[in-house]
Structure formats: structure tokens, C-alpha cells
Amino acid sequence: MGLHDRHYYRDGERMRYDWGGSARSAVATLIIVNVAIFVIDAFTPGGGGWLMGKLELDAQLFQHPWNFWQLLTYGLGHAAINQSAGIWHLFFNMFGLFIFGVPVEQKYGKAEFIRFYLLAVVFAGFVWVVAQSISGGQGSVIGASGAVAAVVVLMALNFPYREMLLLGIIPIQMWILATMYVVYDFIGSFGSDTRVAYVVHLGGAAFAALYFFLHWNFSRLEQVKKWVPFGRPRLRVHKPKEDRLQDEADRVLEKIHRSGGSSLTRGERKTLERYSKQMRERRKPDS
């Protein structure tokens, strides 16, 4: 296969985002999971709220550390259908995830986006629990807004001058929109309104900033699978070392096409160096 036959060198071709099948995007998968949980909860005893009560993050988590799983599950639930916020809590979070998540996933890829999103949920929740412990706060929190805030800020850091439509009408650059969002949450965190978890939003924003400026990459988390002592064994088709290197180089070249050379990690640059060396050796005439 020639270099220009590869799909990331074809003009005008875009990544597909399907809602089903093997090509389903991470954004679509997350939206489906959140909506499914909301619908299932609506049919629980009392007309909604029972399942959400099991998922929410308790401010007293440090006193009940065995409930550590709440740091993840709270980000998959929303206000129950029989509460005042109702379906709007879910709608606005999922709408924000769709609008801002698609370009971020296109830049970082499906697997890395999922890792970023779920770790943002955990980080934002942990920040909220710490803040509640310091202030002596009570209650609980639920919703994906911390992770969505992380996605919004990460998009602004990667695409600061991309124009969005504020309220669907007013054109505004992404960095201005994200700044307004963070400033609003910062001011709100000092208020008395307990209906909105402003600190969770700020935790998500902080996580995105750390991820971007410290050049984090969570691909190494895939290695954890090697240490999991259960589950079905996976059968793999053996590939020669040269073929594996070409597959890795194809992935890196596709990333360059999407996001530019500055987005590459140190390991990805070394992959290109090894691939380039291999190509030069193949071109050498036989002696």
C-alpha cells in the first residue's frame, strides 16, 4: 500500500461517528450509557431516584472509604425524572458532551478520550469530596458535568480560536467561551446555591489543564489488562515485528494528519524514527 493510498491522505475524508456497530464513537457510547441509566432509573420503585441514589457521590466518602466506587458512578447518573431538574440535567450535559466531545475525540482518539473522560469524572469528584471535607459540607452530588467541563476546557486549549454559537446565535471563540464558563463556576463556588456543584466543574477544568500542559497520556493504562487475573483469554493473530511497526506508524501518521506534528508524544516520535530507518534499509540496493 502506497503512502498516498492511506485514508488520512485523502482530501475531504472525515472520521465517521456512528451510533451503532464497531465504529461507534466514544462520545456516542457515553451518551447511550447515560441515557440508558436515566431510563432504567425512571422505571424503578417510586418512579425514579432509587438507582441514582446508589450511584451518587457522598460528601462523607472519607468516612466510608469502602464506597470508593462512587467516584466513578456519580458521573454516569443524573437528576431523576421525578425531580425538579428532571430530564434537563441529562439533556444539557449530553448536549455539551456531543458538541465539545466530538472534536476532542477526533484529536486524541476513541480509547484515549474514554480514559480522559472517566479519569476526569474521578478527579473532579475527588476534588469535590476534599472541598466538602474541609468546609464541613454534607449531601451528595451526581451528574457528568465535571467531566463535561473537562472536555470543554480541553477543546478550548486545543482549538482556542474555533468559533461556537453562544445560545445558538452569537459567534464566540472557544477560548472566550471556556473562560466565561470557568469564571462563572469560580464565582458560583463562593455563593450559597447548593443546587449546582460548581467545585466539581472547577475540578474537571483543572484536570483538563493538567492533562494539556503536562502532556499526559493514559495509553499505558492498557497494560493493566495484563495483570487482571480473570476474564476470558484473548486469542491474537501473530504479526511479524515489521508489520506491527507499520501499523503503529500508520496510526501515528493519521494522528499527524488530524492534529499536526506537535500533538505527538515522545514514544510516537520514536516510532516514526524506527519506521523511517526501516524504510531506508529496505531501499538499499543488494550488494
Side-chain angles (χ1 to χ4, degrees):
M1 180 174 65
L3 183 64
H4 293 281
D5 293 328
R6 294 168 183 158
H7 69 86
Y8 40 81
Y9 276 93
R10 298 174 191 166
D11 293 335
E13 186 164 340
R14 297 284 183 177
M15 183 184 297
R16 293 185 61 189
Y17 278 78
D18 297 330
W19 291 84
S22 59
R24 181 188 300 145
S25 72
V27 169
T29 300
L30 288 167
I31 292 175
I32 291 171
V33 169
N34 278 268
V35 171
I37 290 174
F38 182 85
V39 172
I40 292 172
D41 179 72
F43 289 95
T44 58
W50 180 85
L51 179 57
M52 298 306 182
K54 302 297 182 182
L55 300 179
E56 63 188 8
L57 177 60
D58 189 354
Q60 305 301 315
L61 182 65
F62 291 155
Q63 282 71 46
H64 309 96
W66 51 86
N67 291 330
F68 67 92
W69 45 269
Q70 294 176 352
L71 285 169
L72 179 61
T73 59
Y74 85 94
L76 302 175
H78 290 82
I81 194 170
N82 58 4
Q83 295 181 358
S84 57
I87 196 172
W88 296 111
H89 187 209
L90 172 71
F91 173 79
F92 285 116
N93 274 339
M94 295 302 99
F95 181 74
L97 175 59
F98 177 74
I99 293 297
F100 303 107
V102 168
V104 174
E105 181 181 350
Q106 287 178 330
K107 178 174 178 61
Y108 290 97
K110 178 177 179 178
E112 181 65 7
F113 181 84
I114 285 284
R115 290 188 287 261
F116 168 81
Y117 183 91
L118 295 180
L119 288 172
V121 170
V122 173
F123 185 91
F126 183 79
V127 169
W128 180 81
V129 171
V130 170
Q132 292 295 100
S133 298
I134 293 174
S135 64
Q138 304 290 325
S140 60
V141 67
I142 194 169
S145 54
V148 173
V151 172
V152 171
V153 171
L154 188 58
M155 180 176 172
L157 292 171
N158 281 286
F159 312 105
Y161 302 112
R162 178 170 296 187
E163 283 197 345
M164 307 297 292
L165 291 178
L166 182 63
L167 303 177
I169 302 174
I170 307 171
I172 184 173
Q173 290 185 341
M174 191 62 215
W175 74 269
I176 300 176
L177 181 62
T179 300
M180 292 171 57
Y181 185 48
V182 172
V183 169
Y184 175 80
D185 284 323
F186 181 76
I187 295 174
S189 66
F190 291 98
S192 58
D193 184 4
T194 58
R195 296 173 299 173
V196 180
Y198 297 104
V199 174
V200 174
H201 301 175
L202 294 175
F207 180 79
L210 290 171
Y211 180 87
F212 181 82
F213 289 112
L214 298 182
H215 306 289
W216 284 350
N217 184 286
F218 301 125
S219 59
R220 291 186 178 181
L221 292 178
E222 290 291 327
Q223 302 301 317
V224 174
K225 295 179 181 178
K226 296 180 179 180
W227 303 98
V228 177
F230 50 84
R232 294 184 301 173
R234 294 186 177 182
L235 300 178
R236 294 185 178 181
V237 177
H238 175 72
K239 283 189 174 182
K241 184 176 181 181
E242 293 79 6
D243 290 348
R244 294 199 302 270
L245 179 58
Q246 180 166 338
D247 290 344
E248 293 176 7
D250 285 347
R251 180 186 62 79
V252 175
L253 288 171
E254 182 175 4
K255 184 176 181 180
I256 292 176
H257 179 69
R258 293 197 317 265
S259 311
S262 60
S263 66
L264 298 185
T265 65
R266 183 179 302 175
E268 289 169 337
R269 295 181 187 278
K270 290 183 178 179
T271 295
L272 285 184
E273 291 174 1
R274 294 198 305 271
Y275 183 69
S276 178
K277 181 179 178 181
Q278 183 186 92
M279 291 298 100
R280 289 196 301 270
E281 291 176 351
R282 288 183 178 178
R283 295 191 190 101
K284 289 180 181 179
D286 295 333
S287 55

